[in-house]
Amino acid sequence: AQKITQTQPGMFVQEKEAVTLDCTYDTSDPSYGLFWYKQPSSGEMIFLIYQGSYDQQNATEGRYSLNFQKARKSANLVISASQLGDSAMYFCAMREVDSSASKIIFGSGTRLSIRP
Amino acid sequence: EAGVVQSPRYKIIEKKQPVAFWCNPISGHNTLYWYLQNLGQGPELLIRYENEEAVDDSQLPKDRFSAERLKGVDSTLKIQPAELGDSAVYLCASSLRTSGIEQFFGPGTRLTVL
């Protein structure tokens, strides 16, 4: 069965520093996708970045990059040069691509707080 | 382009009362999802629609929850009767298709059952 684990319930980071949010996953499916979403206090889930299990390179989107280590089953999110607006909940998620259900499951989230 | 629209944003009801949430997905998105998000947790899928067909409702508590997506566009999620434990945020999302990488989420409806 699929499982997503985020072991950091909360993190405090100084503005302009880089931050890494941890995510480990478990799946028996060889084909899957990994996502990161940001949820600010307004409640809306905002898609940040996607990594396919067969992608050769780590995904990057602006200040976001995904440190994908397939053998370790980890998909950590790296935010470079953090900003005050990065303060939010961050969720790691996974979908088994070949599954007919194609269900996405989410981790429990990490609350990131950026200090000025 | 308008995003996913949900209403109401907040709802407070007493237990045993019925409640309904409405979602309008992004135009052209065939796949629609309803998620439940409890406080301090990630969203959990309740039901997924492909056009008007519910293709995954395995997590929907069918004794009190129901959903519909008539004409394959708007969707309504209903709870009848509501219980205290139903207090949560109900999120709607849509994507072009099931295999679409990005799901676009609405702002959610925060339900409080007293």
Side-chain angles (χ1 to χ4, degrees), chain A residues 47-100:
Chain A
F47 168 78
L48 294 178
I49 197 167
Y50 170 83
Q51 178 85 42
S53 59
Y54 292 120
D55 292 344
Q56 295 298 313
Q57 294 187 329
N58 286 345
T60 60
E61 289 287 346
R63 294 186 300 112
Y64 305 107
S65 60
L66 199 152
N67 184 2
F68 181 46
Q69 298 189 41
K70 197 170 183 177
R72 294 184 177 183
K73 294 190 174 180
S74 74
N76 298 339
L77 177 71
V78 180
I79 306 174
S80 63
S82 58
Q83 302 171 356
L84 295 178
D86 294 334
S87 294
M89 283 290 289
Y90 288 81
F91 291 96
C92 181
M94 177 175 68
R95 185 186 73 204
E96 292 174 342
V97 176
D98 291 336
S99 168
S100 59

Side-chain angles (χ1 to χ4, degrees), chain B residues 5-92:
Chain B
V5 179
Q6 289 188 250
S7 68
R9 289 295 312 277
Y10 304 91
K11 188 74 176 178
I12 301 175
I13 61 171
E14 294 188 346
K15 63 181 181 181
K16 300 185 181 179
Q17 294 297 307
V19 65
F21 315 125
W22 176 80
C23 173
N24 181 248
I26 292 174
S27 178
H29 282 196
N30 298 326
T31 307
L32 183 146
Y33 312 78
W34 281 104
Y35 288 90
L36 164 71
Q37 186 176 22
N38 287 306
L39 187 64
Q41 298 181 23
E44 300 173 33
L45 182 69
L46 288 173
I47 189 168
R48 174 171 62 95
Y49 281 93
E50 292 292 338
N51 298 304
E52 65 275 7
E53 182 183 359
V55 295
D56 183 359
D57 63 356
S58 57
Q59 302 302 312
L60 189 71
K62 298 181 184 62
D63 57 336
R64 296 184 299 107
F65 287 65
S66 64
E68 60 182 12
R69 192 184 184 198
L70 300 177
K71 302 181 181 179
V73 182
D74 296 2
S75 178
T76 302
L77 178 68
K78 298 178 182 177
I79 308 175
Q80 183 171 11
E83 297 179 352
L84 295 176
D86 296 332
S87 295
V89 175
Y90 292 83
L91 294 165
C92 179

Side-chain angles (χ1 to χ4, degrees), chain A residues 2-114:
Chain A
Q2 301 178 83
K3 186 177 180 181
I4 292 283
T5 302
Q6 295 181 255
T7 58
Q8 306 154 309
M11 288 187 69
F12 287 90
V13 173
Q14 203 67 31
E15 189 180 8
K16 300 181 183 178
E17 289 184 351
V19 56
T20 298
L21 304 182
D22 296 340
C23 173
T24 58
Y25 61 91
D26 192 20
T27 179
S28 57
D29 197 312
S31 183
Y32 51 90
L34 296 157
F35 306 76
W36 276 92
Y37 282 85
K38 173 184 178 181
Q39 188 176 41
S41 56
S42 59
E44 195 163 339
M45 298 282 284
I46 302 169
F47 168 78
L48 294 178
I49 197 167
Y50 170 83
Q51 178 85 42
S53 59
Y54 292 120
D55 292 344
Q56 295 298 313
Q57 294 187 329
N58 286 345
T60 60
E61 289 287 346
R63 294 186 300 112
Y64 305 107
S65 60
L66 199 152
N67 184 2
F68 181 46
Q69 298 189 41
K70 197 170 183 177
R72 294 184 177 183
K73 294 190 174 180
S74 74
N76 298 339
L77 177 71
V78 180
I79 306 174
S80 63
S82 58
Q83 302 171 356
L84 295 178
D86 294 334
S87 294
M89 283 290 289
Y90 288 81
F91 291 96
C92 181
M94 177 175 68
R95 185 186 73 204
E96 292 174 342
V97 176
D98 291 336
S99 168
S100 59
S102 194
K103 180 174 155 180
I104 293 182
I105 62 166
F106 288 80
S108 56
T110 295
R111 181 172 296 281
L112 177 63
S113 300
I114 308 299

